[in-house]
Structures are given as structure tokens and as C-alpha cells.
Amino acid sequence: MDSAALLFICLAAAVHVAAAATLHDHSQCLDNPPDLSLRGVEAGKVVSDLPGGYTAYVTGPSSSKHAVVLASDVYGFEAPMLRKIADKVGATGYYVVVPDFFHGDPYNDSKNLTEWVKYHSPVKAAQDAKPLFTSLRNEGKFIGVGGYCWGGKFATEMAKTHDIEVVVLSHPAYVTVDDMKEIKWPIEILGAQNDTVTPPEKVRQLEQALHQRMEIEYIVKIFPRVAHGFACRYNTADPFAVKSAEQALTYMLDWFHKYLK
Ligand SMILES: *[C@@H]1O[C@H](CO)[C@@H](O)[C@H](O)[C@H]1NC(C)=O
Ligand SMILES: *[C@@H]1O[C@H](CO)[C@@H](O)[C@H](O)[C@H]1NC(C)=O
Ligand SMILES: *[C@@H]1O[C@H](CO)[C@@H](O)[C@H](O)[C@H]1NC(C)=O
């Protein structure tokens, strides 16, 4: 095959990938919505009086000097699987806070995601959350932020501030290469091979941008044979999906242990 033909094939493949990404843009953000009826026994509780006016699910020892704030995907802080993750993080000794950043208005299927996200910008949410982080700080806590999808962008924004020490992004959405230029703290990015929201090529671009920073510690992993949402919204009947999500949690905990403890 001559090089012109090869180039054509590569271009055709690239165009195909780009078209697929546009077509399915954000749709994976909505796959496997949480089943609220699956709520089991929870180790934590919902509190409604946090600084900044937040309701939140809190779990783990409140006296801990290490806090983890989990930022949910668009479905919000009520998702049973997210709470289970929060309980597991809390069981390792962190005080875990899962705020309702949507103030009672999470995304659901009757809404238009593009419209909804205009009123629930993760960038603005991070700015608004300042009082919450300040109060954790004032309690002497070191803070990690773990974000999923929408929350991945939230975590990214927090990593540009002096209010936290470490972040983990699991299958993030809306995160850009330019964002990486402003990161101030160790960052872990957990991508997925089949993610059409932030596909592996995009994750590699983020990694490259971090690499160029020199002074920022980072780790990037792309989980094979799973899609966007794999860390917090997966098919519990699929052993491979369960195992991948468990590994993602282990990666997140290891990163937090390294920089918080
Ligand atoms: C979707 O959200 C709207 C507005 O918050 C709410 O009125 C409606 O009950 C929700 N629908 C479902 C299925 O939860
Ligand atoms: C959602 O809203 C956007 C922006 O207002 C609009 O362009 C799009 O057609 C809407 N999508 C659906 C499925 O209604
Ligand atoms: C991921 O993509 C591979 C290759 O296209 C496909 O075989 C597999 O079924 C996909 N898995 C998921 C969970 O989307």
C-alpha cells in the first residue's frame, strides 16, 4: 500500500471517530442511571446545614484530619452506588462529604442535559463551594476531591485553588487541555477505553499537558473494555464491570493515601 492510500485510511478513521464522538456526545453521561430503589444499609447520614447551604451525605469519622469530598455525576448525591463508594472511602478513615451540588435539582430523563448543565455549571459550582471547603480547612483537615463525570470537572476546578491537596477524576466530562495548565495539586485521571465523552485520545492529551508541567505529580490510567461511567454506574451483574469499578476505587484510595496521609 502506498503512503497516500495509508494516509487516506487514517484520515477516514479519524473522521469516523470524530463523527461518532459528536453523535454520542454526552450520551454516555446518561447511561445506566442510578436505581434509587437499590438503596441498602448506609453507614452515613444526610445532613442539611453545611456551610454554603449544602445538603450532603456524610460518612466516615468526622474527627479525621483527612477529608474526601466526592463530586457526583449529573444524577447527584442520592445515587446508591455513589454512597456505597463513599462508605468504603469512609471505612478507610476519611471523613467523606458528598454534597448535593445541584440543590435538589439533579438531572433526570425528563430534562435536556444541555439546558440543565447551563444552570448547573461545574465551574460555578466549584466557586460556590468555597465556604464548604473553607469550613473543612478551619477544622484542620487536609482535603482530597474525587469527581465522577460532571464531578470530574468540578474536581479539576478545585485543583486550581489552594483549598485542597489532591484530586482524582474518574471518567471526567468537560475537562480540557487548558485546564491541565492550571492544576496546582497531584492529579489522577481514570479514563475508559470505550468512553465517548472523554475518549482515550483525549485523556492522552490531558496526560501530555500534565507531563509538560514538570512540577505536577500525576497518574493516568485508561481502563480496558469499560465505558464512561464505569467507576460509579455499572452493571452489577457483570463481574468484569464490578472488578473494574473496584480497581478504580483502589486507584483513587491509593492516590489519596499517598497525598493526604
Ligand atoms: C425530574 O425532575 C423534575 C424537576 O426537578 C421533577 O419534577 C420530576 O419529578 C423528576 N422526574 C423524575 C422521574 O424523577
Ligand atoms: C436541548 O437543548 C439544546 C440547547 O437549547 C437544543 O439545541 C437541543 O435540540 C435540545 N435537545 C433536545 C433533545 O431537545
Ligand atoms: C468496548 O469496546 C470493545 C471494542 O470495540 C467492544 O468489544 C466491547 O464490547 C466494548 N465494551 C463496552 C463495555 O462498551
Side-chain angles (χ1 to χ4, degrees):
M1 190 184 299
D2 65 24
S3 58
L6 193 61
L7 178 65
F8 174 77
I9 289 169
C10 290
L11 280 177
V15 168
H16 177 76
V17 167
T22 309
L23 193 64
H24 299 293
D25 200 20
H26 298 306
S27 69
Q28 281 191 350
C29 287
L30 309 180
D31 287 350
N32 304 320
D35 182 349
L36 297 183
S37 72
L38 292 181
R39 193 178 302 300
V41 176
E42 291 176 347
K45 60 175 192 240
V46 173
V47 295
S48 57
D49 50 356
L50 294 185
Y54 294 99
T55 296
Y57 177 72
V58 297
T59 183
S62 59
S63 61
S64 174
K65 286 288 167 229
H66 307 100
V68 167
V69 174
L70 292 181
S72 74
D73 59 25
V74 298
Y75 290 110
F77 86 130
E78 296 209 45
M81 284 167 123
L82 181 63
R83 295 212 177 163
K84 218 155 256 163
I85 291 170
D87 285 345
K88 286 180 181 168
V89 176
T92 69
Y94 296 104
Y95 178 54
V96 185
V97 184
V98 192
D100 175 13
F101 289 120
F102 310 136
H103 299 286
D105 183 35
Y107 175 82
N108 70 32
D109 287 349
S110 63
K111 298 171 194 182
N112 176 324
L113 182 64
T114 310
E115 289 293 320
W116 177 87
V117 89
K118 278 186 201 163
Y119 299 100
H120 298 288
S121 147
V123 176
K124 180 160 189 306
Q127 290 161 357
D128 292 346
K130 180 97 182 161
L132 180 65
F133 285 88
T134 302
S135 77
L136 290 170
R137 256 302 185 257
N138 290 344
E139 291 168 21
K141 296 191 198 308
F142 296 92
I143 308 169
V145 180
Y148 299 84
C149 182
W150 181 98
K153 177 69 169 182
F154 177 93
T156 302
E157 292 300 307
M158 289 310 304
K160 299 175 185 177
T161 74
H162 289 283
D163 297 335
I164 60 146
E165 354 293 322
V166 53
V167 292
V168 176
L169 283 50
S170 295
H171 43 80
Y174 314 115
V175 176
T176 67
V177 164
D178 279 346
D179 284 332
M180 297 302 108
K181 297 174 183 161
E182 295 176 63
I183 298 296
K184 290 185 168 50
W185 307 104
I187 177 171
E188 175 173 86
I189 305 177
L190 304 179
Q193 183 187 7
N194 296 34
D195 193 329
T196 56
V197 178
T198 302
E201 310 86 73
K202 181 67 180 285
V203 174
R204 292 300 175 204
Q205 288 170 13
L206 301 178
E207 179 178 30
Q208 189 56 32
L210 290 167
H211 180 69
Q212 284 166 4
R213 293 288 306 281
M214 309 298 281
E215 76 281 13
I216 297 296
E217 296 201 58
Y218 68 89
I219 187 169
V220 171
K221 179 169 167 63
I222 294 171
F223 285 72
R225 296 192 287 127
V226 288
H228 183 81
F230 77 96
C232 68
R233 296 194 318 264
Y234 52 90
N235 177 3
T236 51
D238 175 351
F240 185 78
V242 172
K243 186 162 159 275
S244 298
E246 282 171 357
Q247 282 175 351
L249 175 59
T250 301
Y251 262 77
M252 178 170 80
L253 285 173
D254 287 350
W255 196 246
F256 285 151
H257 292 343
K258 186 167 176 189
Y259 295 102
L260 287 178
K261 288 200 165 171

